[in-house]
Amino acid sequence: MATFLYRLGRFSFRRRWLVAALWAGLLVLAGVGAATLKGPTANDFSMPGTESQQAMDLLKDRMPQANADGATARVVFRAPGGEKITAPASKAAVDQVVARLRTAPKVASVADPFQTRAVSPDGRTAYAQVAYRVSPIDVTGADRDALKAAVEQGRAAGLTVEYGGSATQGIPEQSATEIIGVAVAALVLVITFGSLVAAGLPLLNALLGVGIAMATITAATGLIEMSSTTSTLALMLGLAVAIDYSLFIVSRYRAELREGRAPDEAAGRAVGTAGSAVVFAGLTVVIALAGLMVVNIPILTEMGLAAAFAVVVAVLIALSLLPALLGVAGRRVLGGRIPGLRGGAAEGRAPLGERWARFVVRRPLPVLLLAVAAMGAVAYPATDLRLGLPGDEVAAPDTTQRRAYDLLAEGFGPGFNGPLMVVVESGSGGGVQEPAQRFAGELQRMKDVAVVTPPAPNPAGNTALLTVVPKSGPSDKATEDLVSAIRDRGGDLRGTTGARAMVTGSTAMNIDISAKLSDALAPYLLVVVGLAFLLLTLVFRSLLVPLKATAGFLLTVAATFGAVVAVFQWGWLADVFGVSETGPIMSLLPILLIGVVFGLAMDYQVFLVTGMREAYVHGAAPREAVVAGFRHGARVVTAAAVIMIAVFAGFVASDETMITMIGFALAAGVAFDAFVVRMTIVPAVMALLGRSAWWLPRWLDRLLPDVDVEGEKLRRALPGATADEPVPAGART
């Protein structure tokens, strides 16, 4: 591999304008595709194989008039202080709003609160249910403006009017907060290289790569339906890894130039050595992301494949366009230095990474125990992890969705914010009315049930729909228990009458999502960790090094979960991170975090430990090999980690809770893994293991192909190379 990449690097360097033109053409082509093919994105989830999805599909087939998956809005009215909503003036204002809502675009029906008795026991609050003829994805900004205009009419009459629901949720737009992460990345690159030219190349490379990936993903929305959050993960990862991979290769190129190589030779060697590590690091990320297909949840599959595509583009562009850009820059990557920035250690003094490594290998056991204890303490809050899909209850207090939620909970009870839909299907040849009424009576007697509506059968008389309002809120554990209890009663109903009862609706769907993700966690870990273990065994030709890497990753995940729970569920440092409301952790996060952080953790494992192995195979003692790996790789890995953290942290300021949580989790995960696990625990364990760290059974050594990730064969084949002078994949700057 190293030899092939060496040739690719030299070709790109020498044919720089051709390679640059090809990539520019791809960018233009992707941009044209995005402009012409772009389609709408969705916010809803589908859950194949779950009871809630089966019930939803049955309603679409048997009761299309119910429009079960259509957009809805709930408009909540509150009378002025001391007055009743049923007072003539207040009632007239409500009637006017309801009448205007019925004429709003795409509205199928509006339930008059006075006819449906949707008035609170104290008489001060009422709500109107608005059903749309279209799904949430098809509710446009103009439709939401019409809803808002109707609400403003009620407010002008002196009422407090708020609204929420799926119809009110616009498609989240990409914010400009990521620019902060890019700016920090630029600053880190300048400090690392001490040169504006060298710092600019990774940024330019990354921006072009991300532009191609994002434009291609945008064009794909015109061909397949995607979630509105699909591109967010691709942008996060594509930008971060593209900068990191370019950083490693530019660092190697500068080291080769300082050793007196010709620029084209330096580019070939940089791509042949550091590029090999980039390929395997990228493969681990792609494996982790593509493995999300195991979960069989469309939104996760979309996010994983889109992000994996962005990583593939980042790898390809680092291996081909970057050496072309190096050909344009030439030796200027060593010039343009900024006064006061040496881009390396002070003369006569060992680099900080080497000094840290020597400290760790002298005291490996105390350092290991302290680091593991600290990570364990951070991980402790994860024992209280609660999963869910937070809704309006965790929206910012100043939003109309949150105010509507609070008004409804105060006037009617928290369960009215998350009603359950129960579908009763008759047995073979029988009618549905009798078993549905019987089941409704049983549900009304259940402990956590506040209201059960009478069964509404379809014209064919074989399916009926009930609405069950819990006493508990949609994200409460009691509601989850109620859904389970209703499903148990449904089993009894089928046994006695032959009729089948199923629970669906957004609340039940969220519960099923959490359950399915929990069940998928073990097989996902097995697939991803197993494949990556094999890949790392191939790279390092060792069994203990991949095992240690995997154990360190699990420690990282535990600590990251602990930090997420502490901030987003317990509210620690909530003001610092802009978390206005605490609640359950998004149920998609654990698997998503495991996939992404695992890939990134293996990045640093490959770049750092490759240098250790290289020194060891050249005859260095085990502990000295650890120091050598840090001497050549720690500075670049540190810069790469800081860039990753900066890019991910830029998303924490997003207005979308889901994106904020993902950004925080990824930034924390990279920080824990890079600085505690890879920079502290790894050298301590390697020092304790000694030579046994590189043990591999002879029979397995003969079976494994030699991928030459260190470029050893390449250096032996090149003129001027000596066998006793190792050239690390992550060279010093």
Side-chain angles (χ1 to χ4, degrees):
M1 176 183 291
T3 303
F4 168 77
L5 294 177
Y6 166 79
R7 292 171 181 167
L8 175 61
R10 290 193 67 181
F11 172 84
S12 298
F13 187 96
R14 292 177 173 179
R15 302 290 188 270
R16 61 195 70 122
W17 297 115
L18 172 62
V19 174
L22 289 174
W23 278 107
L26 284 176
L27 178 61
V28 172
L29 184 63
V32 171
T36 57
L37 298 176
K38 179 182 179 181
T41 54
N43 276 331
D44 52 342
F45 297 98
S46 63
M47 293 292 299
T50 61
E51 179 177 303
S52 54
Q53 189 64 52
Q54 291 172 0
M56 195 67 71
D57 294 339
L58 182 65
L59 284 175
K60 290 179 185 179
D61 180 50
R62 300 276 185 88
M63 302 180 71
Q65 71 278 6
N67 197 23
D69 62 343
T72 61
R74 184 167 288 181
V75 181
V76 187
F77 305 90
R78 169 68 65 87
E83 298 183 15
K84 302 284 188 180
I85 199 69
T86 52
S90 296
K91 183 177 184 300
V94 172
D95 290 340
Q96 289 177 358
V97 173
V98 170
R100 184 161 181 176
L101 286 172
R102 285 173 174 158
T103 62
K106 301 176 184 173
V107 170
S109 63
V110 181
D112 188 323
F114 302 112
Q115 294 179 4
T116 59
R117 299 181 181 179
V119 179
S120 63
D122 63 4
R124 293 197 59 211
T125 308
Y127 70 88
Q129 189 76 12
V130 183
Y132 285 77
R133 295 188 298 271
V134 296
S135 62
I137 186 177
D138 295 318
V139 178
T140 64
D143 301 331
R144 286 186 287 272
D145 290 341
L147 174 62
K148 183 178 180 181
V151 167
E152 291 296 341
Q153 183 175 349
R155 291 171 177 171
L159 300 179
T160 297
V161 189
E162 306 294 346
Y163 57 96
S166 61
T168 69
Q169 303 295 332
I171 302 299
E173 299 180 356
Q174 206 65 58
S175 68
T177 55
E178 305 89 77
I179 297 176
I180 299 174
V182 176
V184 174
L187 179 62
V188 173
L189 288 170
V190 170
I191 294 174
T192 301
F193 291 129
S195 166
L196 290 176
V197 175
L201 289 178
L203 285 176
L204 177 60
N205 204 64
L207 292 175
L208 289 173
V210 167
I212 292 172
M214 296 301 294
T216 304
I217 293 170
T218 301
T221 61
L223 305 175
I224 56 177
E225 184 178 299
M226 289 189 186
S227 166
S228 57
T229 57
T230 296
S231 61
T232 300
L233 183 62
L235 177 59
M236 283 184 186
L237 279 180
L239 188 60
V241 301
I243 294 175
D244 277 8
Y245 295 164
S246 300
L247 168 65
F248 290 119
I249 293 177
V250 171
S251 299
R252 185 70 186 92
Y253 175 73
R254 282 160 55 93
E256 290 288 349
L257 287 181
R258 290 199 181 102
E259 292 180 8
R261 314 285 186 201
D264 63 333
E265 181 69 14
R269 289 177 181 245
V271 176
T273 52
S276 297
V278 164
V279 169
F280 279 95
L283 274 175
T284 59
V285 181
V286 169
I287 287 172
L289 292 169
L292 291 171
M293 292 187 295
V294 173
V295 184
N296 194 29
I297 294 179
I299 185 175
L300 274 181
T301 299
E302 293 167 9
M303 294 178 74
L305 292 179
F309 172 72
V311 172
V312 169
V313 172
V315 171
L316 294 176
I317 210 167
L319 299 177
S320 57
L321 179 60
L322 182 58
L325 296 178
L326 291 174
V328 175
R331 293 186 178 275
R332 289 193 296 274
V333 295
L334 297 176
R337 303 186 68 81
I338 301 173
L341 293 179
R342 295 185 177 88
E347 189 171 342
R349 191 180 185 190
L352 179 60
E354 179 181 348
R355 283 180 278 147
W356 171 249
R358 291 194 182 281
F359 171 81
V360 173
V361 298
R362 283 198 301 267
R363 307 167 181 83
L365 188 58
V367 169
L368 175 63
L369 294 177
L370 182 61
V372 171
M375 292 282 276
V378 176
Y380 174 74
T383 58
D384 189 38
L385 176 67
R386 289 191 301 112
L387 298 178
L389 281 179
D392 291 345
E393 70 272 19
V394 296
D398 59 346
T399 61
T400 186
Q401 289 88 353
R402 174 58 187 275
R403 289 195 293 260
Y405 182 95
D406 291 341
L407 285 175
L408 205 60
E410 181 182 341
F412 297 88
F416 278 77
N417 284 293
L420 306 173
M421 299 169 64
V422 178
V423 182
V424 180
E425 180 187 19
S426 64
S428 57
V432 75
Q433 190 66 30
E434 191 277 329
Q437 289 179 339
R438 172 181 172 179
F439 197 57
E442 292 181 8
L443 296 181
Q444 188 64 72
R445 293 189 292 271
M446 296 183 72
K447 180 180 179 182
D448 194 40
V449 171
V451 176
V452 179
T453 63
N458 66 341
N462 57 6
T463 307
L465 179 63
L466 314 172
T467 298
V468 179
V469 178
K471 294 179 181 178
S472 50
S475 59
D476 292 347
K477 181 66 167 58
T479 302
E480 181 180 344
D481 295 338
L482 175 62
V483 170
S484 179
I486 292 175
R487 286 172 173 167
D488 290 340
R489 293 285 182 94
D492 297 338
L493 178 71
R494 188 165 194 173
T496 56
T497 68
R500 181 172 64 152
M502 296 180 288
V503 185
T504 188
S506 59
T507 300
M509 190 79 76
N510 292 347
I511 292 171
D512 287 347
I513 288 175
S514 299
K516 185 166 185 177
L517 287 169
S518 298
D519 293 341
L521 191 58
Y524 174 68
L525 272 174
L526 184 62
V527 170
V528 172
V529 174
L531 289 175
F533 183 89
L534 294 176
L535 185 63
L536 291 177
T537 301
L538 185 65
V539 172
F540 296 120
R541 309 194 75 80
S542 164
L543 291 179
L544 293 181
V545 169
L547 185 63
K548 168 187 59 63
T550 304
F553 155 73
L554 295 175
L555 190 59
T556 293
V557 168
T560 305
F561 283 161
V564 170
V565 169
V567 174
F568 291 90
Q569 187 174 308
W570 290 2
W572 293 3
L573 301 177
D575 293 338
V576 175
F577 295 102
V579 179
S580 56
E581 293 295 326
T582 60
I585 304 305
M586 182 182 64
S587 55
L588 298 174
L589 186 64
I591 281 186
L592 193 63
L593 178 68
I594 287 171
V596 175
V597 172
F598 184 81
L600 298 180
M602 296 306 104
D603 270 10
Y604 301 124
Q605 178 77 10
V606 169
F607 286 118
L608 198 58
V609 181
T610 294
M612 299 180 191
R613 171 170 172 76
E614 206 167 345
Y616 178 76
V617 298
H618 281 84
R623 294 197 174 193
E624 191 57 37
V626 173
V627 174
F630 268 74
R631 180 186 305 122
H632 299 300
R635 180 179 175 85
V636 179
V637 169
T638 299
V642 172
I643 289 170
M644 281 272 191
I645 294 168
V647 172
F648 292 146
F651 290 82
V652 174
S654 171
D655 294 332
E656 293 293 321
T657 303
M658 178 177 179
I659 295 175
T660 299
M661 199 177 293
I662 291 174
F664 174 85
L666 292 180
V670 170
F672 292 142
D673 194 85
F675 297 114
V676 182
V677 175
R678 308 303 153 191
M679 293 286 192
T680 305
I681 294 177
V682 164
V685 173
M686 296 292 285
L688 289 171
L689 291 176
R691 295 186 183 278
S692 60
W694 306 108
W695 174 76
L696 184 70
R698 291 184 179 179
W699 63 269
L700 184 56
D701 187 42
R702 290 192 298 268
L703 289 176
L704 292 177
D706 187 0
V707 295
D708 191 28
V709 70
E710 300 94 354
E712 176 63 21
K713 293 180 180 178
L714 170 64
R715 287 193 296 276
R716 288 200 300 265
L718 293 176
T722 58
D724 58 346
E725 293 182 1
V727 182
R732 60 185 177 280
T733 59

